[in-house]
Amino acid sequence: MNGLRHELKYTLHKDAATVLKQRLSLLLPFDNNANPNGEYYVTSLYFDTIDADAYFEKMDGVQTRRKYRIRFYNQNLDFIRLECKEKFDSMTQKRQARISLPYAQKIIANQIEALDVEGEQVLQEFLADLKTRHLVPSVIVDYRRTAFVHESLDVRITFDEHIHSRVFDIDLFEPTFSGVKVHEDAESVIEIKFDEILPYPVWAILNSVPLSRQAISKFALCRGMQ
């Protein structure tokens, strides 16, 4: 899904997060790709310049910025995406293109000249940035996600937990969760994404627990471990 969206981020103690999940489950369905508990695993490899521009732009609070990542879910290598996450002040946009495993492996190995530049615009822009901005694989981020969705209003609420940074490791397709823990197990990172409005029943449930809003970034948390 493309287009500018609101994105609010919070942290919450795991006990309160469990209560919030239970309340949301009475109103919203889980993501279709999740297991019966609403959970799935996310693995992402982020790209940055050798000077860590994306990391420092985040830390400095630059209002307009973008970063690229290769992402897949539940260790399923049949569905891999190249994604561009862009921020414009308080709004965000995600553009994406599906890529094959061999294509992703060539990107990671910096075999750019062997890649087909035809295809979706976001992929063309990424390949151009690889060359001109000298992007390189920077950090792998693993975590467990629980996601609730309101399809008709494009509302999505996610709980990210057990966040790990695979520092000094760019072997994205190695099935391991042996990275360094970067966030307390007692806390859950909550992201609320919506287009125009947040329905009142959803807003009311979210406000029934003590949410603490933060400008938190899983990429920055994991990149900072280096």
Side-chain angles (χ1 to χ4, degrees):
M1 178 167 46
N2 297 333
L4 291 175
R5 311 189 77 198
H6 297 278
E7 182 179 73
L8 309 177
K9 296 185 178 183
Y10 302 87
T11 57
L12 186 63
H13 188 276
K14 67 176 183 179
D15 292 337
T18 298
V19 172
L20 184 55
K21 290 177 190 176
Q22 291 171 344
R23 292 174 179 172
L24 285 171
S25 69
L26 300 175
L27 181 65
L28 301 175
F30 290 129
D31 183 289
N32 289 332
N33 298 312
N35 66 20
N37 294 321
E39 299 173 346
Y40 56 93
Y41 285 90
V42 183
T43 305
S44 304
L45 170 63
Y46 287 85
F47 291 79
D48 203 347
T49 67
I50 57 175
D51 294 322
D53 288 348
Y55 172 74
F56 286 112
E57 285 175 358
K58 167 58 185 175
M59 300 305 293
D60 292 340
V62 175
Q63 291 301 299
T64 301
R65 59 183 187 269
R66 72 177 182 272
K67 59 180 177 285
Y68 295 100
R69 64 195 178 205
I70 293 175
R71 170 171 287 188
F72 61 100
Y73 305 91
N74 293 324
Q75 297 298 320
N76 179 11
L77 302 184
D78 293 326
F79 190 84
I80 304 170
R81 294 192 301 210
L82 181 281
E83 299 181 345
C84 177
K85 182 77 175 287
E86 298 170 291
K87 181 175 177 62
F88 305 94
D89 198 7
S90 61
M91 306 291 284
T92 64
Q93 174 178 261
K94 183 172 73 173
R95 297 181 294 133
Q96 57 198 22
R98 187 170 176 179
I99 58 177
S100 67
L101 175 59
Y103 199 99
Q105 291 171 324
K106 289 177 181 177
I107 291 174
I108 297 170
N110 197 33
Q111 297 174 356
I112 303 174
E113 302 304 326
L115 297 176
D116 180 6
V117 297
E118 299 297 328
E120 298 185 45
Q121 182 177 351
V122 63
L123 188 54
Q124 295 179 35
E125 292 174 3
F126 172 62
L127 295 178
D129 277 349
L130 279 177
K131 295 180 180 180
T132 59
R133 298 178 58 213
H134 307 292
L135 299 179
V136 295
S138 63
V139 66
I140 296 174
V141 179
D142 293 311
Y143 54 90
R144 186 185 69 197
R145 166 168 283 182
T146 304
F148 298 89
V149 295
H150 191 307
E151 294 287 355
S152 61
L153 293 178
D154 286 333
V155 174
R156 184 174 178 83
I157 303 172
T158 57
F159 295 73
D160 296 335
E161 299 159 332
H162 301 292
I163 303 168
H164 286 74
S165 171
R166 285 159 59 181
V167 290
F168 310 112
D169 176 12
I170 60 170
D171 193 356
L172 178 62
F173 304 112
E174 178 65 25
T176 178
F177 287 94
S178 59
V180 178
K181 185 191 304 180
V182 298
H183 208 255
E184 294 296 330
D185 282 342
E187 289 190 328
S188 177
V189 176
I190 301 173
E191 297 180 1
I192 304 168
K193 304 180 181 72
F194 58 99
D195 290 346
E196 299 295 335
I197 60 172
L198 191 60
Y200 176 78
V202 176
W203 179 88
I205 290 175
L206 292 171
N207 278 273
S208 68
V209 296
L211 291 169
S212 174
R213 188 173 178 183
Q214 296 186 20
I216 193 169
S217 163
K218 295 182 290 292
F219 159 71
L221 284 173
C222 293
R223 186 78 164 90
M225 298 298 293
Q226 298 179 343

